[in-house]
Amino acid sequence: MTAISPQVEFLRLAREEGRGALATVIGPEDAPALGRKLLVTPDGLAAGGLGDERIDAAATEAAAELLWAERSEARELGGLVVFIDVVAPAPRLLILGAVDYAAALCKLARASGWRPFVCDPRVAFATKARFPEAEEVLAAWPDEAFAQLGIDRATYIAILTHDPKLDDAALRIALRSEAAYVGAMGSRRAQDKRRARLLEAGMTEAELDRMAAPIGLDLGALTPEETALSILAEVVAVRNGRSGGRLGTSGGRIHEVGT
């Protein structure tokens, strides 16, 4: 374990919109380890400790899970009650294709607390002026854009182009990455052709089954704004582990909170 203060580092991560989990022993009240802290970060580094190597290992495993689930909760670990507090940056939505749908999706994503990025190799279209709500606009091919931005388990990807040169290149990378979601626009007929091309290019059925296509929920969307709503609704549902159905016909809790 390093000598850095877990609490101080956790607060720094929170201020700088980083990702980390702080495990704190909160029970039982007579536990010698009460108040001890262990910080876990996505790169596997840890600071502090809970007083027992086995509990440290269990807390690290639980924290690694919750880091990407982006929720805080209490866990019972080795007879101790450990609260794992998670901080994470706003989720990222990588949008491939500098089209009208992308502009509407950027605007809605930003209003919903997401960080949208737009990528398109066409310099005339991929401009900040066309996408003022985007965190960044990259005039780059998919491989270059993904390499620059990186893809992790909290990355959501929406492919809105209708050009096989762009679509297929993006999907070959995205579907083999850790991305939490990969969606692609196009008719069902276009999806069938795309799937056939990618299979011929060496991708597996299992890899292609990760693709949400046609992208979005069935809202009957017609305009770019309605289509953006359909796409973001599906993305949010996936992030929260929901199917995206109607609340009036679903069971269970409406809002999930940490325990």
Side-chain angles (χ1 to χ4, degrees), residues 45-201:
L45 296 179
L50 305 182
D52 183 289
E53 289 185 359
R54 291 173 300 175
I55 295 176
D56 282 353
T60 299
E61 183 178 352
E65 171 196 339
L66 294 172
L67 271 175
W68 298 105
E70 298 181 345
R71 71 176 188 272
S72 303
E73 66 181 40
R75 295 278 182 97
E76 186 173 339
L77 304 173
L80 298 177
V81 180
V82 178
F83 182 72
I84 302 174
D85 193 9
V86 171
V87 294
R92 294 190 309 162
L93 179 61
L94 309 189
I95 304 168
L96 275 293
V99 296
D100 290 343
Y101 295 109
L105 184 54
C106 267
K107 187 173 184 178
L108 184 58
R110 178 65 76 180
S112 301
W114 288 64
R115 293 178 295 152
F117 296 77
V118 176
C119 314
D120 194 306
R122 299 171 297 179
V123 177
F125 294 94
T127 67
K128 187 66 174 176
R130 294 190 67 231
F131 303 97
E133 289 86 9
E135 188 94 353
E136 189 175 350
V137 180
L138 286 77
W141 286 88
D143 57 340
E144 299 168 343
F146 287 149
Q148 183 172 336
L149 295 173
I151 301 175
D152 59 26
R153 284 179 279 172
T155 302
Y156 298 73
I157 300 174
I159 299 172
L160 307 185
T161 53
H162 290 282
D163 184 341
K165 294 193 301 296
L166 296 176
D167 293 1
D168 295 3
L171 287 166
R172 283 196 297 269
I173 298 171
L175 292 173
R176 288 171 171 164
S177 74
E178 291 186 312
Y181 169 92
V182 181
M185 181 173 276
S187 67
R188 297 190 191 282
R189 183 180 178 185
Q191 299 303 338
D192 290 341
K193 291 182 177 180
R194 173 183 290 149
R195 192 177 185 95
R197 289 196 308 270
L198 292 172
L199 285 171
E200 188 177 351

Side-chain angles (χ1 to χ4, degrees), residues 203-244:
M203 298 200 72
T204 66
E205 292 282 0
E207 289 170 337
L208 295 178
D209 285 345
R210 294 191 59 213
M211 177 170 51
I215 194 171
L217 298 184
D218 184 7
L219 306 182
L222 297 175
T223 66
E225 291 73 21
E226 289 178 344
T227 302
L229 178 61
S230 166
I231 294 170
L232 192 62
E234 182 177 49
V235 169
V236 171
V238 169
R239 183 171 183 248
N240 293 325
R242 299 299 185 93
S243 65

